[in-house]
Amino acid sequence: DLASNVLFANAFVDVSTCSGLVYGETCRAVCPDGFDPQGASSQLLTCQATADNVSAAGFRDIDGNAPTPLSCIPRTCTYGLPTRLGVQHNCHAVGTQGTCSVWSSETYQYVEGDEMQNLTCGADGALIGRIPDVTPRECPTLENGVGVSHTCANKTAGTACWAYCQQGYTESMVQYTCDGVALSADG
């Protein structure tokens, strides 16, 4: 069986037409969908008894020589890259049949029951799989000091709020920004 042969087993080559052949029958080794050939795009093979059964699995090329495997290179997926706000990924260079991961960024959290997801690069150049659902993290509410009020309850990553003096107290207003972990005074 050519598919399990040392020459073809680890190469991204389709030899499915080479199974179950008898002496003298031919088949074609090709780069499957989603892969680009480096050199020849296919190789015509003939089933023959050979002294080199280990490396050629009983096959010869059109010239009667032991075949050399095709070199097929996975295409990089360019469609379906995750763009959802609050997720990160390592999918920029994944090729056909390869996988990548999508996870919540530090300032976001998974919606209950969700988790990191893996995507697979399909032969059509698109990533296949589900992007996790995330929501912005909430910052802890500011403590009210004496004479201080604020608008900083239930703030999520990327939002701003103000702390200001109550009537009878004087001081400048202070703007805070939530980074998803804590509120930080601006300026």
Side-chain angles (χ1 to χ4, degrees):
D1 178 23
L2 195 56
S4 62
N5 180 266
V6 171
L7 288 176
F8 293 93
N10 293 321
F12 296 113
V13 177
D14 181 1
V15 290
S16 59
T17 63
C18 297
S19 293
L21 298 182
V22 295
Y23 184 84
E25 290 183 321
T26 60
C27 63
R28 188 166 295 278
V30 297
C31 289
D33 289 342
F35 293 83
D36 293 319
Q38 197 168 33
S41 62
S42 69
Q43 186 174 29
L44 185 64
L45 302 172
T46 303
C47 179
Q48 295 182 355
T50 68
D52 190 7
N53 281 335
V54 173
S55 67
F59 285 89
R60 290 292 186 185
D61 68 14
I62 192 105
D63 298 320
N65 299 315
T68 55
L70 296 175
S71 180
C72 301
I73 308 300
R75 286 187 202 133
T76 301
C77 267
T78 56
Y79 302 103
L81 288 170
T83 58
R84 182 175 294 167
L85 187 62
V87 298
Q88 294 179 298
H89 64 86
N90 59 356
C91 299
H92 289 293
V94 68
T96 304
Q97 296 180 5
T99 61
C100 61
S101 298
V102 183
W103 62 91
S104 174
S105 66
E106 184 178 291
T107 58
Y108 281 69
Q109 61 192 4
Y110 295 109
V111 171
E112 188 174 330
D114 216 337
E115 61 188 0
M116 181 182 78
Q117 299 293 318
N118 291 319
L119 306 180
T120 302
C121 181
D124 61 356
L127 289 165
I128 304 162
R130 192 177 68 73
I131 308 299
D133 289 323
V134 297
T135 186
R137 289 185 185 274
E138 273 190 19
C139 284
T141 301
L142 282 178
E143 300 271 334
N144 278 350
V146 175
V148 177
S149 290
H150 60 79
T151 62
C152 297
N154 304 315
K155 294 300 176 187
T156 56
T159 60
C161 60
W162 292 91
Y164 55 91
C165 292
Q166 296 171 347
Q167 190 171 356
Y169 293 87
T170 58
E171 191 59 56
S172 298
M173 291 177 56
V174 177
Q175 183 176 12
Y176 287 85
T177 302
C178 173
D179 65 6
V181 177
L183 288 164
S184 300
D186 296 346

